[in-house]
Structures are given as C-alpha cells and as structure tokens.
Amino acid sequence: MRALAAFAMAGRRQAIIAAVLCGMIPLINMISPALVALVLLRHGPREALMVAAFAVLPSIGWASVGDMTPLILLIGVGVMAAVLRRTASWQYALLAAILVAVGSEAALMMRPAVMDLLLQQVEAFMAAGGGSVELPEVTPETLREGVLTLFGLMHMLMAVFLLILARWWQALMYNPGGFQKEFHEFRLQPSVAMLLVGLFLLASLGGTVLTGWILYFVIPLAIAGVALVHGLVGIKRLSRLFLVAFYLLLPSPLAVQLLSVAALLDSFYDFRRRIQPPADDGSI
C-alpha cells in the first residue's frame, strides 16, 4: 500500500495512472478515491482536480452499469479531504461525511432501477432467513427507508476509512508519526458535539425528514470516542492487547452508545489533558 502511494506521489502522470488503473478493478476501485485525496492533501485542490478528471472516467463507467459506489466515494472523499486540508480539523471532515451519507441516499433515489434491485435482494434475504426464525412484518415503506439508511451509512463509513487511509499515507511519507499524534489528540468542540446531539434528538422524535439519519449523527461522536480510547491507551502506555479487546467489543450497539457518551463528555472535560502518563520506573 505504501508503495502504491509513493508511486502516485512521484508525479501527476503517476498519480493519474495509479488512480485510473485502481478505478478499473472491482473492489480495488475503492482505493482510487484515497489516492485522489492524498494528492489533494499534499498538493492542493488544483492538482487533485487534474487527477480526478481522469480518475472519474472508470467511476462513471461503473455507475453506468449500476455500481454508483466508486463515483459517490470519489466525490465524497474528495470533498472531505478538501475540508480537512482547509480546516486542519477532523471534526469538520466528519461533519462533511454526513453530507456523503445524505448524498448517497439522494443518488440511490435518483436510480429507481438500482433501488428496486436492492429491495429485491433484501426481501429475498429476509425470506431465506425466515425459515427457522419468524421475522416481524415490515412494511414496504419501512423497508425502503431501511435500505436507504444502510446505503448512506455504508458509504459514510467507507468515505471516513478512505480519508483516514489517505491521511495515514501522507503522514507515513512526509510526517512519520504525525497521523497517530493527530488521531490521539482528536476531540470534538463542545459546540459541534451539542449540534450532533441536538440533531440526534430531533431525529429521534420521529415524523421529521431527519428520522432516517439518526445513525449519521452518532458516527462522528463514536469516532471521537475511538480517538479518545486510543489517546488514553497511548498516555497510559497500555498494552496493544487492550486495543484488540476494544475492537472486538466495538461492533456492539452498547459499545457505540458508550463511546458516543464518552466523546460528548470529553468535548467538555478533555480527559486526556487531565490524565498524567505513568512515571518512569527508573525515576528518583
């Protein structure tokens, strides 16, 4: 992976070749947006647009046959990288990730044929799983909203991961250790955290256009919670096995809720600033 990033950073031609070739290969085409984001983070939007003008061609090709994900990610990750470069703040990049999720929903609604295919696949999956377990009745409208939300959430999480990959590449080549420091220190400002909580509560009331977006407002808080855990582990110099156990528990909804609450509290109290590293054993 580092060799690919180094090749792309060797010049504009190499970046175009890497982005286009990756974009043409199934599954690997997810790497193309990260390469464009790397160019943007390192050289700015003008240079990135030159690379994106070619990288978008295979993405358009995939979209024409029904796979909109490469195109959505290319645009979404590019916007998030531009926000991160301009603000040097992950919290604003994560807010931009919410727009990626909403934009993904809009893109899916604009392609009724793709939407119908996804609904058919979900219905077939539910029917196959209903042989041994009785599933609750789901109305067509509820199923449609669920598919839209999952589609948006999937693209939001992938966009965040690809931006993290691009930032890690950048630090690996030009600022070793910089990404780790940046991530360990990441926390939401109180105003941003309260904005997310307010939107979450508004969406939870139901009957609003935001109802299907509840998870979108939780993800930035959860990621800030993950950064908090990494920061505390680094400060206390705990074993990496602690992080292994943490990630094994992370898929649990309860763990996500606890992380979100911890991130909200951390935005006000800054736990990392209050916790001291352990004293050296050899100190006098």
Side-chain angles (χ1 to χ4, degrees):
M1 295 288 282
R2 179 178 180 176
L4 176 62
F7 174 78
M9 287 292 96
R12 180 188 298 171
R13 179 181 299 176
Q14 290 86 339
I16 291 173
I17 292 173
V20 171
L21 290 181
C22 286
M24 295 172 63
I25 305 173
L27 297 181
I28 304 297
N29 53 19
M30 305 300 174
I31 301 297
S32 183
L35 292 171
V36 175
L38 174 61
V39 174
L40 197 155
L41 291 170
R42 180 62 180 174
H43 298 297
R46 179 177 298 180
E47 186 68 19
L49 283 173
M50 297 293 294
V51 177
F54 292 89
V56 75
L57 298 178
S59 298
I60 293 175
W62 287 113
S64 67
V65 296
D67 185 2
M68 298 180 292
T69 295
L71 183 59
I72 291 173
L73 291 178
L74 183 63
I75 297 172
V77 177
V79 171
M80 291 171 61
V83 171
L84 180 59
R85 176 182 168 86
R86 184 173 182 82
T87 65
S89 172
W90 274 96
Q91 65 178 355
Y92 296 117
L94 291 178
L95 291 179
I98 297 176
L99 299 180
V100 175
V102 175
S104 300
E105 287 193 15
L108 182 56
M109 288 188 292
M110 291 168 56
R111 297 291 297 273
V114 178
M115 182 70 183
D116 291 341
L117 178 61
L118 289 176
L119 288 172
Q120 292 172 11
Q121 292 175 342
V122 172
E123 289 172 348
F125 175 80
M126 294 177 64
S132 56
V133 179
E134 185 176 352
L135 297 175
E137 290 292 333
V138 179
T139 65
E141 185 61 28
T142 301
L143 183 61
R144 179 183 177 85
E145 291 178 358
V147 169
L148 278 172
T149 299
L150 287 175
F151 191 79
L153 184 64
M154 177 188 71
H155 286 85
M156 180 181 182
L157 292 174
M158 286 194 295
V160 171
F161 171 77
L162 291 174
L163 183 61
I164 289 175
L165 177 61
R167 193 65 157 181
W168 176 70
W169 275 339
Q170 183 188 23
L172 196 63
M173 291 186 290
Y174 305 108
N175 183 26
F179 175 75
Q180 182 185 56
K181 182 176 184 296
E182 184 178 67
F183 188 66
H184 282 197
E185 295 176 353
F186 168 56
R187 58 186 283 268
L188 297 172
Q189 294 177 358
S191 58
V192 174
M194 291 307 299
L195 171 64
L196 290 168
V197 171
L199 291 171
F200 173 83
L201 293 176
L202 180 62
S204 300
L205 295 177
T208 71
V209 71
L210 302 179
T211 302
W213 301 350
I214 291 177
L215 289 176
Y216 303 163
F217 306 134
V218 173
I219 294 301
L221 285 165
I223 293 176
V226 172
L228 171 63
V229 171
H230 275 265
L232 293 178
V233 169
I235 292 173
K236 301 302 290 184
R237 302 170 190 169
L238 300 177
S239 169
R240 292 183 179 271
L241 292 177
F242 184 90
L243 289 177
V244 174
F246 166 70
Y247 278 106
L248 289 176
L249 295 173
L250 188 57
S252 166
L254 178 60
V256 174
Q257 294 171 12
L258 292 175
L259 280 176
S260 301
V261 173
L264 175 61
L265 295 175
D266 182 54
S267 68
F268 289 94
Y269 295 104
D270 195 357
F271 298 129
R272 279 158 288 196
R273 182 174 60 84
R274 298 170 183 267
I275 296 178
Q276 299 297 322
D280 295 332
D281 296 335
S283 60
I284 299 175

